[in-house]
Amino acid sequence: MAAAPQITREVPGLADLTALLVARGHCDERAIDRARRVAEDGDLALDGVLLQLGLLTERELAAAFAELLGLRVVTPDRYPIEIPPETDGLSFRFLRDSRALPLGVEDGALVVAAANPLDPFLANATAAATGQPIRLEVAVPIELEAAFARLHPEGGSPSTAEEGGQAETSDDDSERLKDLASEAPVIRLVNQIIARAVETRASDIHIEPFEDRLRIRYRYDGLLHEAEAPPSRLTAAITSRIKIMARLDIAERRLPQDGRIKLAVRGQEIDFRVATIPSLHGETVVLRVLDRSVVDLDYNKLGLSAPMIDILTRTMALPNGIMLVTGPTGSGKTTTLYTGLLALNSVERKVVTIEDPIEYRLAGITQIQVKPQIGLDFASLLRSILRHNPNVIMVGEIRDLETAQVAVQAALTGHLVLSTLHTNSAAASISRLRNMGLEGYLLNAVLRGVMAQRLVRRLCMQCRRAEVAPDELVQRFGLDRRPGQTPGAPVTLWHPVGCPNCRQTGFSGRLAIAEFLEPNANIEKLIFSHAEHAEIERAAVEAGMVTMFDAGLDAALAGTTTIEEVVQSIRAEV
């Protein structure tokens, strides 16, 4: 059956839709005219062009359709587990081509989720084929595609299941895998997995094969959530498709591989960092979503307090020395440094970074990728960079004494060096550098500050709930003695609830809680005398440092996170 006609300029209601998009601030008239010209020149659907150009998101378009026509937007939980029996007269190909899916019969009408409810052919054809009155609702395309994949993973291709079933028996045949990975249903399925991650703002995609199933999980706000997975027989095809996109060797399945994909998803240029590793039942694949559009390189949006922003800005404005950001993997260290680098980036300064890997491209900054396999490690690159006389150098991580010594040399010769360490607190980073073999007098000469940070989940502002904190909790953490609390007044804490805006988790996004150790005369004496990090931390607190845990308590009292998040993130022994 031929595909249903797409939206064109002549369809009634399109002018109203574009006017609504302009009125709601999603697009301006110039953007609409540009999209209209592209649609006319390429005989394309205007709604599709708007999405491809990145002028609005699928959810914004769905909301506009719903407002224009007075319809509901379909929520993901309303999609059926199997196609309703009342739709026997409709072929799956027709439904996919029409971008529509029946949800079931309600109040005597067949409810159909449609990605394009302005299509006049869809309702008429569906009513004629089923013999039932039709009521349309608006589908978000990415959720509609996920429902199609669950109901019919092979995408209507009669050969896919057969080829998928042979994948295991032809594992050693790389050409067979290439052919399998080039099949349209597999390509569509992989694109769908990737598009869902971008649309829902996931940070990672984890594709993990097991004996009897293929598991796909997305990471949101630091936690993994399982998603609908395709049949396990498609494991080899999906893995091979991703490896082809990342320019990896699909014939090599015994060794880990790393690659990168640059892809236009829903009109946005997105980078994906790809890593594969062999496991018992096949290769595990992880894609890190590097979407610059959802990363706000702004201290305020990172959740840092005003005093912390002031001290960070002041330290990064120094002409020389070393400033460190420390914390475990995934604590936002690189994002904090990127934010500082953008503030320092100007015509008057030369800024160079050495990274492994390069997370995001920063305009106007020279970024260099470490390549240990050819001798380009942090230390050797740092030596070479010094000959280029940069003002600011960011070293992705100080991992050994050699890198630390070259960084100190760079700081002593008039450069500002920014770097990271993997330690649990700001004071512990000093002990770590000493344990590497760096002398205390050198540390005192170059160290300008150490920031330790963690990421905690941010409460959803649309559904959070306030409650008076129990007396036991108030006493345990001294909440009534925190700055800004009125003596004797009840202490209020906020709790997650869950709503569609936060995927029913109660949390939306993450924020940083941090401490900043700024060396003074007393701390320098302790460093020189090889004092333990606990003693150095006490001296820093006496000098005014707010610890990470206290910063977390302040964030919980402000209603941006919860006490449980703070304790779990910092793992404080309280």
Side-chain angles (χ1 to χ4, degrees):
M1 184 179 293
Q6 296 178 310
I7 296 179
T8 61
R9 282 188 303 122
E10 290 76 18
V11 174
L14 182 59
D16 296 330
L17 175 67
T18 55
L20 180 64
L21 292 173
V22 173
R24 294 292 177 266
H26 296 308
C27 307
D28 56 26
E29 292 285 0
R30 182 178 299 178
I32 293 292
D33 289 340
R34 174 189 169 203
R36 186 178 288 114
R37 287 195 300 271
V38 172
E40 290 173 345
D41 292 344
D43 193 23
L44 302 171
L46 180 58
D47 62 332
V49 172
L50 290 169
L51 294 174
Q52 291 169 12
L53 293 177
L55 298 176
L56 73 163
T57 67
E58 291 185 339
R59 294 186 188 280
E60 290 170 344
L61 181 61
F65 276 135
E67 183 177 351
L68 179 68
L69 301 174
L71 303 177
R72 291 174 58 185
V73 176
V74 181
T75 56
D77 59 325
R78 296 190 62 219
Y79 287 102
I81 298 175
E82 56 185 24
I83 297 180
E86 296 88 354
T87 61
D88 288 341
L90 300 172
S91 71
F92 193 83
R93 174 168 292 184
F94 166 77
L95 295 175
R96 185 180 286 280
D97 290 344
S98 301
R99 297 192 299 160
L101 185 63
L103 304 180
V105 175
E106 295 179 7
D107 299 327
L110 180 63
V111 180
V112 177
N116 174 15
L118 286 180
D119 180 1
F121 175 75
L122 171 63
N124 295 333
T126 306
T130 62
Q132 300 183 73
I134 303 299
R135 190 178 85 229
L136 294 180
E137 293 189 6
V138 184
V140 178
I142 186 66
E143 295 170 355
L144 183 66
E145 290 170 8
F148 277 135
R150 183 179 66 250
L151 293 167
H152 207 287
E154 290 80 14
S157 172
S159 64
T160 303
E162 182 181 337
E163 293 187 1
Q166 296 174 355
E168 290 186 8
T169 60
S170 59
D171 236 10
D172 295 329
D173 187 353
S174 60
E175 291 302 319
R176 180 71 171 172
L177 284 176
K178 285 182 182 177
D179 292 341
L180 183 58
S182 300
E183 285 289 319
V186 174
I187 292 174
R188 183 166 58 239
L189 182 57
V190 171
N191 289 345
Q192 190 179 81
I193 292 170
I194 291 174
R196 179 176 180 179
V198 175
E199 178 72 16
T200 58
R201 297 196 169 189
S203 61
D204 306 314
I205 309 170
H206 293 251
I207 301 172
E208 303 159 312
F210 293 94
E211 184 176 9
D212 57 347
R213 66 189 181 109
L214 175 65
R215 182 168 70 179
I216 295 181
R217 295 190 289 175
Y218 296 92
R219 189 184 298 277
Y220 301 105
D221 303 331
L223 297 181
L224 287 169
H225 297 258
E226 192 163 356
E228 296 281 351
S232 59
R233 63 175 178 267
L234 298 179
T235 297
I238 292 170
T239 302
S240 298
R241 175 61 189 166
I242 293 172
K243 291 172 74 173
I244 289 172
M245 295 170 72
R247 303 179 187 275
L248 302 179
D249 182 1
I250 68 168
E252 179 55 77
R253 295 181 292 282
R254 301 164 301 170
L255 298 173
Q257 296 188 68
D258 296 303
R260 208 174 184 108
I261 299 172
K262 189 169 186 178
L263 198 63
V265 181
R266 313 299 187 200
Q268 303 176 57
E269 285 290 335
I270 311 291
D271 281 349
F272 300 86
R273 202 171 76 212
V274 182
T276 70
I277 192 167
S279 65
L280 180 61
H281 300 291
E283 289 178 285
T284 294
V285 183
V286 175
L287 292 86
R288 176 82 183 276
V289 184
L290 304 176
D291 185 356
R292 178 66 176 81
S293 67
V294 301
V295 177
D296 291 316
L297 297 180
D298 180 280
Y299 287 135
N300 289 298
K301 293 182 179 178
L302 293 179
L304 296 175
S305 65
M308 181 64 67
I309 294 173
D310 290 342
I311 194 170
L312 265 177
T313 305
R314 186 175 74 247
T315 304
M316 286 194 175
L318 295 172
N320 56 59
I322 294 178
M323 195 202 87
L324 301 173
V325 179
T326 185
T329 300
S331 59
K333 301 185 297 295
T334 303
T335 303
T336 297
L337 286 180
Y338 276 170
T339 304
L341 288 177
L342 285 183
L344 293 172
N345 188 24
S346 66
V347 176
E348 295 80 17
R349 289 191 186 95
K350 182 177 179 67
V351 181
V352 180
T353 73
I354 308 170
E355 304 176 60
D356 183 24
I358 295 173
E359 296 279 354
Y360 297 99
R361 271 73 170 181
L362 303 177
I365 292 176
T366 302
Q367 296 175 269
I368 304 172
Q369 170 71 53
V370 169
K371 296 179 181 178
Q373 63 271 25
I374 60 172
L376 284 179
D377 55 19
F378 282 114
S380 61
L381 278 170
L382 189 50
R383 287 194 187 91
S384 300
I385 285 171
L386 292 178
R387 303 187 189 105
H388 289 249
N389 194 28
N391 300 95
V392 181
I393 306 169
M394 188 192 97
V395 181
E397 183 184 350
I398 294 179
R399 297 176 178 173
D400 50 45
L401 177 59
E402 184 181 10
T403 306
Q405 289 173 332
V406 181
V408 167
Q409 179 188 347
L412 289 172
T413 53
H415 304 84
L416 178 63
V417 180
L418 311 176
S419 190
T420 71
L421 276 176
H422 287 268
T423 59
N424 291 327
S425 68
S429 64
I430 294 173
S431 299
R432 173 73 185 278
L433 291 172
R434 278 204 316 247
N435 292 337
M436 283 184 185
L438 205 60
E439 295 293 339
Y441 72 91
L442 289 175
L443 271 174
N444 285 336
V446 300
L447 190 63
R448 300 292 180 260
V450 183
M451 176 181 174
Q453 72 176 57
R454 298 287 191 281
L455 292 180
V456 295
R457 290 188 294 171
R458 191 189 297 263
L459 279 168
C460 175
M461 295 294 122
Q462 295 189 21
C463 66
R464 63 177 184 167
R465 183 185 73 250
E467 288 184 2
V468 175
D471 291 338
E472 181 183 351
L473 195 65
V474 172
Q475 296 302 319
R476 185 180 184 186
F477 296 114
L479 299 180
D480 53 344
R481 299 189 298 274
R482 300 299 307 162
Q485 295 299 308
T486 303
V491 175
T492 301
L493 293 175
W494 297 79
H495 302 276
V497 176
C499 68
N501 179 65
C502 59
R503 301 179 303 279
Q504 304 299 330
T505 65
F507 297 92
S508 180
R510 291 193 287 177
L511 62 93
I513 54 176
E515 64 187 21
F516 196 99
L517 187 153
E518 191 172 18
N520 57 20
N522 188 28
I523 292 174
E524 288 177 355
K525 289 179 183 177
L526 293 173
I527 294 174
F528 190 76
S529 63
H530 292 78
E532 294 295 327
H533 72 268
E535 192 175 351
I536 294 173
E537 182 170 301
R538 281 195 296 270
V541 171
E542 289 173 1
M545 182 182 83
V546 177
T547 66
M548 269 189 298
F549 188 68
D550 286 339
L553 293 180
D554 291 340
L557 290 169
T560 54
T561 189
T562 67
I563 291 285
E564 293 80 4
E565 278 292 306
V566 174
V567 173
Q568 181 179 1
S569 175
I570 302 177
R571 302 186 188 279
E573 295 182 3
V574 293

